[in-house]
Structures are given as C-alpha cells and as structure tokens.
Amino acid sequence: MALTDSIGSATITGLAYVGELARLTGGAARAVFIEPFHGHKLRLGRAVHQAMAVGVEAIPIVSLISFFVGMIFGLQSAYQLRKLGALQFVADAVAIAITRELGPLMTAIMVIGRSGSSFAAEIGTMKVNEEIDALETMALKPVHFLVAPKFLAMILMLPCLTTWADFMGVTGGALFGVSSAGFTWASYFNRTLDALVLRDVTTGLIKSVMFGVVITAVGCQEGFSTGLGSEQVGRSTTSAVVKSIFLVILVDLVFTALFYFTAPR
Amino acid sequence: MATKLVSQQPSSEPPSGPAIAVRNLRVKYGEREILHGINFEIAAGETLVILGGSGSGKSTLLRTLVGLERPSGGEIWIRGQDFAAMSEDERDGLLKKMGMSFQGGALFGSMSVADNVALPLREHTELDESTIDIMVRLKLDQVGLSGFDNYMPAQLSGGMKKRAAIARALAMDPEILFFDEPSAGLDPIIAAGIDELILKLKKAFRITIVVVTHELASAFLIADRMILLDKGVIVANGTPRELQESKQPRVRQFMDRVPEAEISRELDYLQMLTGDIPPQRQ
C-alpha cells in the first residue's frame, strides 16, 4: 500500500514539476518571440553576454571532451568490428554515433555542469538577497529580465556547440583510425562523409535545441524556488544539475525513439 | 490576470483623499492566516511607521502593499484604485510610481551602483544615456553617495548599500516610498544618518512614506503617524504622542521594552508566534 502511495505521489510531483517548467519556458519563449512585436523589446546585450558565457567560453572543454569521446567510441567499436574483419566501418560507427547521440548528449552534459548550475546559483542568490522581489516592485518581470536572455542564448548556442562537438568527435575517431585502424586522414574523413546522411546531423541538432530548453528551464526553476539562506543555494544548484541530467536523458529517449519510428525505410 | 477579491462586507466607494487605504485586509501563507482584518489609511504626503515585534505580520503587510503577496480577503486602494482588481498594465503603471527599499538593500550584485539606479530608467523610459547619467548622478547626490557610481554593491558598507537602494527607489520620482527596516543591522550613527535622509526626502519632496521598523528611536523621529501591529491585528493607530501616552498593555509593553513572559515550552512558543492562543502569563 505504502509503495503505490509513494509511486503515485512521486509521479504527481514529477508531473507538476514538468508543468512548472513548461510554464517558465512558455513565458520565456513569449518574451523572446512575441513580446518584441508588442513593444517590449528584449535587451539583446544581456542575451549576448549570456551567449558568451554559455557558448563561447565552453568551447575549450567541449572540444576536449568530444575529442576524447570520439576516440573512446572508435576504440570500443573497433573492439567488436575487428572480429568481423570490418575495421573500415569504424569511421561509419563513430560518425553516426557522434552526430546522432554522443555529440548532443555530451555537449548538453557539459553545459549542464557549467551553465545549468550557474543559472540556478545566480538566480538562487538573487532570490536570497531579495533581488527578485526588487525586480517585481520595479514592475520588471523576472522571466523577461532574467530567463528570456538565457533562453535565447541557449537555443542559439547549443546547436552551435553541438556542431563543433560533432566535428571534434569525428576528429578524435580519426586519430584512432589513422593510428590503429589502417586509415589515412583523408580516407577517414571521406568515409565519414559517405556514411552520414543529413538526417543524422539534423536529428542531433534538434535534440540539442530541446536539451537547451530543458537546461534553461530546470536551472532557472531551481533558482526561483530556492529557500532562504546560502545553504539553500547550494542545494538548488545540486538539484538543478541532477534534475537536468535526468530530464535531458529522458528527452533524449523520447526524441531518439521518435526519430527511429519516423525514419524513412 | 489579477482577479477581483471578494471582501467580507460589500465594498464601498473608493476613498478620494488618502494615498493608501486598507480595508479589512487578510493575508494567508498556505493555511495560516497572518493578517486578520487590517484597516487603516495613509494620507498623501504623510509618513506612516508600522511598528511591531517579530511575528506581528508587519513584513507581510508591507509585502502585500507593494504587491509581492496576494491578499486572501479585503481591499487595498492605492491612489483611489483597487490594487487587486487592476489589470497587469495598470498594476505596472502604479508600481512605477512607487519605490521600495528592502532590508538588505537588494541591490543587483552583478551591476555597479550607477547601473542599479539607472535600471528602472533604462527599462521604463526612452531617455537617452546622457540624460539617464545625469539623473543617476542627481539621485546619488541626493542620498549622499556622489562619486560612488562605479562601485559594485559588494564594495559598499551596510549604510552605503541602504543609501544606494534608496537612490534606486527614487529613480523614477515615486509618489509613495516604502522602507523595510531601514535601520536594521546599522550602528546607531549610521542609522541616524538614514533617518536624516528620510526626513530630508519628506521635506523636499512631500512623498508619502511607509516605514516598517521595530526601532523606536527612528520611528519617533520620522513618523507623522504610527500603527502598532501585534499578531496580525492593529492594536494602536495614532500620532507618536498618542502611542507614547497610551495605556493599553500591549502598547506599553512595546514602548517600554518589557520582555515577553518566559516561554519555556515549545508549544507555547509556537502558539505565541502564530497568535493562535495567547501565551501563558503569570
């Protein structure tokens, strides 16, 4: 009896949380796409500043991680493929895995660690210092002022970062291929391009935009719901990272399944 | 999307005179009612001090007056308009004519002092930067912070943060100013400086000022009228002199700084804070 109760209430809490996220995202999307036509212009300066922090400053770490992941996947697929005498398929395997899955996912996880946590910490600290209240008393809506620039920055930067991560991942696989699987640089990259269909790259990019939406929503929502006291800010930040990772993987599952079942035969 | 609230009695005509009129205000946090039917008025240009101990509901009252909390009953009329029944645009319009100074200053930590003060001007007006610059310097001068434009809030002392917060509250030349514990955490000399500033603003601009505090010395200095809140109800409402001379026990206890009877049981403490049952007395 107790188990079904807890499963039930956990499900309801989870759904309520997703509802809150949807509300926040709706408000931010409205501020970015609709309000400018009603006279409330979005301050692009803030969005650019966020884009620098979310995107440009993440390039070094995303490059490194994707490069290593590319190499790792090359190694792991070669491990099986060499039994079939099919080492030349390493390039295909790496290309498809990176562009469809690992590129977007690894990038999202790095961005969660860097930006998802910082959104929660920033907004959480503002909440504790009554800065959010101050915004409201000045007739400035926190969603327009704080969330919308982050939202715009994320949905623009994440596909860009993912594209770069895809390239670095393939390069990592290439390093392995050239050193241990009998490729030359040229042959590896050519094989990669032959193996890829546009759909592989675009599904990865669509996923990356969805990941960006989730990361922004969870980071900001955790920030806004911070309790009083600096210890609570730490709690919110942790919570933001954990929930973001979970939701990103859930969204990944949904979209991967969607793309699988709607794929042209 | 503000919905009109239903008060206990049929609502009457909006008052024409007072800047703020509160009728039978009730505010709840969840299931617990914090304010149990508050009634008072503030005339335009008057300085009202809201006194009360911890748990009296004074912060809740202030937050409700500036729109940070929703009443669960009763009405608030500001400048002749029903605050709860306004559309969002009307509400925003009214908020732009009010300024609030928070207890810790609530300055935006990522912006300089000048950018903090300039924020309402940049967001709500079409003024160009040079005009905004002049206005910011004017406000900072009024609060005695000339030259501190480029300091970050973390570099300021407590008193200076309060002054910067006041400058920001004054940025749009408000008609009503709210202060939440202006002297909290400040040493007596700095606190006196803040009181001076409030008096100066009173004389120069004749704004309506609402101050929540528990510092009696400051209160008597700046108030035209005072109300004393206790456990969510008003127990006294009058001029400082009237409160000073009041014979009511709760008022006397507050004015004479008589400590609360020893609360040694957890249940008694909780009941004292929530006002559900009066504490045990000798």
Side-chain angles (χ1 to χ4, degrees):
Chain A
M1 209 43 194
L3 183 61
T4 37
D5 274 349
S6 20
I7 293 176
S9 73
T11 311
I12 291 177
T13 311
L15 287 174
Y17 188 74
V18 172
E20 278 299 320
L21 295 180
R23 203 157 139 248
L24 194 63
T25 305
R30 201 193 144 88
V32 170
F33 297 118
I34 301 180
E35 290 295 322
F37 299 108
H38 290 175
H40 302 124
K41 51 190 191 306
L42 185 72
R43 300 277 170 176
L44 285 175
R46 274 202 296 281
V48 168
H49 180 78
Q50 291 291 339
M52 285 294 293
V54 167
V56 177
E57 287 170 23
I59 288 178
I61 189 83
V62 167
S63 307
L64 267 180
I65 300 260
S66 325
F67 186 77
F68 291 153
V69 167
M71 281 182 73
I72 291 170
F73 198 78
L75 284 159
Q76 291 288 40
S77 48
Y79 181 70
Q80 287 294 81
L81 287 170
R82 67 183 174 188
K83 293 180 188 168
L84 309 166
L87 264 185
Q88 67 272 31
F89 283 98
V90 166
D92 304 54
V94 169
I96 292 176
I98 294 282
T99 52
R100 289 189 76 107
E101 190 59 44
L102 293 175
L105 189 60
M106 288 291 117
T107 306
I109 291 186
M110 277 327 298
V111 168
I112 288 172
R114 291 187 76 256
S115 305
S117 60
S118 91
F119 288 176
E122 180 194 326
I123 295 182
T125 308
M126 288 180 76
K127 174 114 194 276
V128 168
N129 287 340
E130 298 184 291
E131 291 174 43
I132 310 281
D133 285 345
L135 280 176
E136 291 193 36
T137 57
M138 289 193 269
L140 292 170
K141 296 191 189 5
V143 172
H144 280 229
F145 196 77
L146 295 174
V147 182
K150 294 172 164 53
F151 180 76
L152 182 61
M154 273 284 196
I155 62 176
L156 290 177
M157 284 290 109
L158 228 62
C160 298
L161 273 179
T162 302
T163 307
W164 177 249
D166 290 346
F167 172 71
M168 289 306 292
V170 168
T171 308
L175 183 59
F176 166 72
V178 168
S179 64
S180 310
F183 284 93
T184 64
W185 289 99
S187 72
Y188 187 95
F189 279 104
N190 278 324
R191 181 115 193 172
T192 299
L193 289 172
D194 285 339
L196 285 177
V197 193
L198 185 63
R199 205 188 141 86
D200 294 327
V201 178
T202 53
T203 54
L205 292 181
I206 291 172
K207 279 201 235 181
S208 71
V209 172
M210 295 314 300
F211 294 163
V213 170
V214 167
I215 298 170
T216 313
V218 175
C220 294
Q221 176 63 21
E222 288 300 312
F224 282 125
S225 57
T226 306
L228 292 176
S230 44
E231 180 223 286
Q232 290 298 315
V233 176
R235 207 207 46 83
S236 293
T237 312
T238 310
S239 185
V241 171
V242 171
K243 286 180 185 165
S244 296
I245 293 179
F246 174 74
L247 281 173
V248 157
I249 294 189
L250 190 64
V251 167
D252 194 6
L253 175 61
V254 168
F255 276 85
T256 307
L258 182 72
F259 293 138
Y260 176 79
F261 289 112
T262 59
R265 302 279 160 187
Chain B
M1 294 71 70
T3 46
K4 181 136 176 68
L5 292 164
V6 177
S7 58
Q8 310 292 70
Q9 300 113 16
S11 96
S12 43
E13 289 300 311
S16 46
I20 300 178
V22 173
R23 304 263 178 85
N24 209 21
L25 182 69
R26 291 177 186 275
V27 179
K28 276 191 197 172
Y29 282 149
E31 284 311 307
R32 230 177 73 204
E33 195 177 66
I34 306 290
L35 296 177
H36 317 297
I38 304 283
N39 288 283
F40 66 91
E41 282 180 3
I42 308 176
E46 197 177 41
T47 300
L48 177 78
V49 172
I50 301 174
L51 289 168
S54 322
S56 55
K58 58 187 195 300
S59 291
T60 309
L61 178 56
L62 188 68
R63 289 175 64 88
T64 315
L65 288 176
V66 297
L68 290 171
E69 304 288 345
R70 293 276 183 184
S72 55
E75 295 154 7
I76 302 177
W77 297 87
I78 301 189
R79 293 171 80 249
Q81 295 170 280
D82 187 345
F83 200 36
M86 286 181 196
S87 70
E88 216 171 285
D89 282 339
E90 285 173 335
R91 217 178 145 89
D92 283 351
L94 187 60
L95 284 173
K96 287 174 202 169
K97 298 206 177 74
M98 309 197 316
M100 170 115 171
S101 168
F102 287 84
Q103 189 165 341
L107 295 170
F108 302 118
S110 54
M111 301 179 196
S112 67
V113 168
D115 286 334
N116 262 278
V117 179
L119 185 69
L121 297 168
R122 288 196 182 122
E123 294 292 327
H124 294 311
T125 68
E126 301 291 326
L127 295 168
D128 60 296
E129 273 306 303
S130 50
T131 314
I132 291 180
D133 189 46
I134 294 172
M135 291 177 74
V136 165
R137 292 213 242 124
L138 187 66
K139 301 299 168 189
L140 287 176
D141 189 50
Q142 278 168 1
V143 302
L145 280 182
S146 290
F148 285 91
D149 305 45
N150 294 319
Y151 278 61
M152 299 300 283
Q155 297 171 291
L156 299 177
S157 70
M160 288 158 74
K161 279 187 190 146
K162 295 270 173 119
R163 287 175 185 270
I166 295 172
R168 185 179 67 184
L170 288 172
M172 300 274 282
D173 292 319
E175 294 175 15
I176 312 176
L177 260 185
F178 295 90
F179 289 88
D180 188 7
E181 309 270 4
S183 325
L186 301 176
D187 69 58
I189 299 174
I190 309 288
I194 300 288
D195 291 341
E196 275 282 309
L197 178 55
I198 296 178
L199 281 175
K200 195 175 97 171
L201 294 173
K202 236 177 90 146
K203 284 202 190 77
F205 299 111
R206 289 175 230 275
I207 352 179
T208 311
I209 301 179
V210 180
V211 178
V212 161
T213 184
H214 55 254
E215 302 272 344
L216 288 176
S218 296
F220 279 99
L221 190 61
I222 59 182
D224 292 331
R225 281 207 5 261
M226 295 172 157
I227 58 179
L228 178 61
L229 263 175
D230 187 43
K231 298 197 186 64
V233 286
I234 296 182
V235 296
N237 181 349
T239 64
R241 189 190 197 118
E242 283 168 10
L243 261 78
Q244 187 69 290
E245 294 170 353
S246 164
K247 300 276 187 293
Q248 282 187 62
R250 281 309 273 176
V251 181
R252 283 266 55 86
Q253 184 177 19
F254 196 83
M255 295 292 161
D256 298 338
R257 300 181 83 237
V258 176
E260 195 69 70
E262 263 302 304
I263 303 284
S264 49
R265 280 174 31 199
E266 202 181 80
L267 208 56
D268 287 339
Y269 184 61
L270 187 62
Q271 286 167 348
M272 180 199 82
L273 277 185
T274 58
D276 291 335
I277 298 173
Q280 299 302 308
R281 296 257 207 177
Q282 265 72 344

